[in-house]
């Protein structure tokens, strides 16, 4: 049995796949605007308490996100249960180990522990 596919359909399907790739995970990985909390599910901290850092993603799971910094040191950020749904952990984990994509991590330090609140793809650190 032979199935005929109209001309152009494979190209349309390929375009659809490409457009749904890593693009719009904005709710899960957006960085908060300066002076605002990342979302309504954000931790109870002032906007001034948020910091950003860029590195290469080593690993990501429901408990922690690890990045390598340009100086060769690794930095670990804990994941709070209330932040996990919007972080897009599975998306982050799919980029672990890549060196052509950097990640800007937005975090807050509470009681001496760093907690990731947002992660956004960016150019790799220099």
């Amino acid at each position: 049995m032979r199935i005929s596919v109209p001309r152009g359909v494979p190209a349309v399907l390929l375009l659809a796949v490409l457009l749904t790739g890593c693009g719009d995970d904005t709710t899960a990985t957006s960085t908060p605007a300066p002076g605002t909390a990342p979302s309504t599910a954000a931790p109870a901290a002032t906007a001034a308490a948020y910091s950003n850092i860029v590195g290469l993603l080593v690993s990501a799971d429901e408990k922690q996100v690890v990045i390598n910094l340009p100086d060769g040191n690794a930095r670990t950020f804990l994941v709070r249960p209330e932040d996990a749904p919007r972080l897009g952990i599975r998306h982050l984990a799919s980029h672990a180990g890549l060196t052509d994509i950097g990640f800007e991590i937005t975090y807050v330090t509470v009681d001496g522990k760093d907690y990731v609140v947002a992660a956004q793809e960016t150019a790799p650190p220099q």
Side-chain angles (χ1 to χ4, degrees), residues 6-118:
R7 252 177 199 237
V9 171
V12 170
L13 291 175
L14 177 60
L15 181 60
V17 168
L18 291 174
L19 291 175
T20 60
C22 293
D24 196 16
D25 200 10
T26 55
T27 58
T29 61
S30 63
T31 299
T36 63
S39 78
T40 57
T46 62
Y50 291 94
S51 300
N52 294 313
I53 194 166
V54 175
L56 297 175
L57 189 66
V58 173
S59 65
D61 60 35
E62 296 293 326
K63 295 181 181 181
Q64 65 185 15
V65 172
V66 180
I67 62 170
N68 277 337
L69 302 175
D71 65 6
N73 291 316
R75 186 87 182 262
T76 301
F77 301 89
L78 300 176
V79 176
R80 295 184 285 202
E82 64 269 24
D83 294 329
R86 80 181 135 74
L87 287 173
I89 296 293
R90 287 184 358 176
H91 177 198
L92 291 175
S94 73
H95 293 303
L98 299 179
T99 58
D100 59 338
I101 299 174
F103 276 86
E104 180 178 12
I105 303 295
T106 301
Y107 67 97
V108 63
T109 303
V110 178
D111 295 330
K113 296 179 181 177
D114 295 330
Y115 296 93
V116 61
V117 294

